[in-house]
Every structure is written in C-alpha cells, then in structure tokens.
Amino acid sequence: MSTAEISEHPPIYDRLIQERGDIPAETREAAEQAKHRMQQALDWSSVHPAMRESGDGRSFSAFG
C-alpha cells in the first residue's frame, strides 16, 4: 500500500464523527477557551502603569 492509497481519515473516523460528534475538535476548542481565560486572568499589564503613575517608585515586596 502506497501513501497515495492511504486517506487522511479512514472511513470509520467519518462515521464516528457523524455518530458521536467531533470530540477532538471540541476538545481543541475547549482548550483554546481555557487558555484565553487563563491569559486574561494572569494579565497584570494594567496594574504596572498604575504603580508608575503613583510617583513614589516604591512597590510592595513580601520579601523585603
């Protein structure tokens, strides 16, 4: 069997998608949404300019 004879998705894959849905695509989408929410939750870029605008140049440090 040559590579030209091998399809990208075997026929059973298409049938499973029809019966069960495209679980890999749904999983990728859920992962992308979680990644986006995580990036928003960990985005501290709006905090740093406020510290610079305070003028004193000092910031809180729990270590000293």
Side-chain angles (χ1 to χ4, degrees):
M1 181 182 293
S2 71
T3 55
E5 295 172 334
I6 300 173
S7 65
E8 185 174 321
H9 296 293
I12 193 169
Y13 183 80
D14 293 330
R15 195 174 97 219
L16 284 171
I17 287 176
Q18 289 175 353
E19 292 175 4
R20 307 285 183 171
D22 194 351
I23 303 302
E26 292 172 15
T27 302
R28 282 189 295 275
E29 184 178 337
E32 285 296 323
Q33 290 174 358
K35 179 181 172 184
H36 180 71
R37 286 192 305 263
M38 180 266 317
Q39 287 173 333
Q40 287 179 325
L42 297 176
D43 180 15
W44 291 79
S45 62
S46 63
V47 175
H48 296 295
M51 288 173 47
R52 281 187 232 120
E53 290 173 6
S54 68
D56 63 6
R58 296 180 298 161
S59 63
F60 173 79
S61 173
F63 301 107

